[in-house]
Amino acid sequence: MKLTLLRHAQTEGSLRNLYYGAADIPALPESLSELHRRAGDYPTAQRYYTSGMLRTEQTLAAIYGSVPHTRLPGLREMDFGDFEMKSYEELKDTPAYQAWITDVEHNPCPHGESAPQVLRRSLAAIAPVVQRPEDAVCVIHGGVTAGLMMAWFGGGRYDYSVSPGQGFQVTFREGQPVSYTRIPAAE
């Protein structure tokens, strides 16, 4: 089974380097148009999923059209709590932010989530997807993708950084991840 994990299209939040996860902001029209133009570069599947957030719904439609799909809220991006829709520049001198960045892989955001909490819910949400034999596409978020890839293949978060509209295609055998390639393939 091949599972494609795609990060949603560019948003105002990603352009401005904001922390946004729980904020249900839209994808930028020009990014969606570019993904639509390049739709043939993306693998297709028998099953399609999104996190249910607006930007993932828009991205799925831009690449694949109006395919039937399932929303998996467990694949939503991290809730950055008090840091939502704020930039590093806005936060860098606050004690709460300074405390969080000492260990972003374990510390929770004030009134938000921690990376381990996001990973637990993401692994629970993806488990039934990878147990089925048909290929699947999940249009989700960069942080969730990186967390899943770290859990499956080791390494650090930045080993699996993806730009908007990029991701990984993971091959599973008997429900276990065995290899991956970057999507879309390098030109």
Short mmCIF file of all heavy atoms in Angstrom, two decimals, residues 13 35 106 130 145 153 187:
data_model
loop_
_atom_site.label_atom_id
_atom_site.label_comp_id
_atom_site.label_asym_id
_atom_site.label_seq_id
_atom_site.Cartn_x
_atom_site.Cartn_y
_atom_site.Cartn_z
N GLY A 13 -0.48 32.63 6.54
CA GLY A 13 0.29 32.26 7.74
C GLY A 13 1.68 31.75 7.40
O GLY A 13 2.66 32.11 8.06
N LEU A 35 -1.00 24.58 -7.83
CA LEU A 35 -1.16 23.15 -7.56
C LEU A 35 -2.11 22.52 -8.57
O LEU A 35 -1.88 21.39 -9.03
CB LEU A 35 -1.65 22.91 -6.13
CG LEU A 35 -0.68 23.30 -5.02
CD1 LEU A 35 -1.29 23.02 -3.66
CD2 LEU A 35 0.66 22.61 -5.17
N HIS A 106 8.88 18.59 23.18
CA HIS A 106 8.21 18.05 24.37
C HIS A 106 7.35 19.05 25.13
O HIS A 106 6.36 18.67 25.73
CB HIS A 106 9.25 17.44 25.32
CG HIS A 106 9.98 16.29 24.69
ND1 HIS A 106 11.20 16.44 24.09
CD2 HIS A 106 9.64 15.00 24.53
CE1 HIS A 106 11.59 15.28 23.60
NE2 HIS A 106 10.66 14.40 23.84
N VAL A 130 -3.67 3.07 7.25
CA VAL A 130 -2.55 2.23 6.81
C VAL A 130 -2.84 0.73 6.92
O VAL A 130 -2.11 -0.08 6.35
CB VAL A 130 -1.24 2.59 7.54
CG1 VAL A 130 -0.89 4.05 7.31
CG2 VAL A 130 -1.29 2.27 9.01
N THR A 145 2.90 15.83 9.26
CA THR A 145 3.69 14.99 8.35
C THR A 145 5.06 14.70 8.94
O THR A 145 5.49 13.54 8.98
CB THR A 145 3.82 15.67 6.97
OG1 THR A 145 2.52 15.80 6.39
CG2 THR A 145 4.72 14.89 6.03
N PHE A 153 10.32 6.53 10.61
CA PHE A 153 11.65 6.35 10.02
C PHE A 153 12.79 6.92 10.85
O PHE A 153 13.95 6.83 10.44
CB PHE A 153 11.69 6.96 8.61
CG PHE A 153 10.77 6.28 7.65
CD1 PHE A 153 9.58 6.88 7.28
CD2 PHE A 153 11.07 5.03 7.12
CE1 PHE A 153 8.71 6.24 6.40
CE2 PHE A 153 10.21 4.39 6.25
CZ PHE A 153 9.03 5.00 5.88
N GLU A 187 12.37 17.76 -10.09
CA GLU A 187 12.36 17.93 -11.55
C GLU A 187 13.78 17.93 -12.10
O GLU A 187 14.72 18.25 -11.48
CB GLU A 187 11.68 19.26 -11.90
CG GLU A 187 10.23 19.23 -11.51
CD GLU A 187 9.53 20.56 -11.79
OE1 GLU A 187 10.14 21.47 -12.35
OE2 GLU A 187 8.36 20.66 -11.43
#
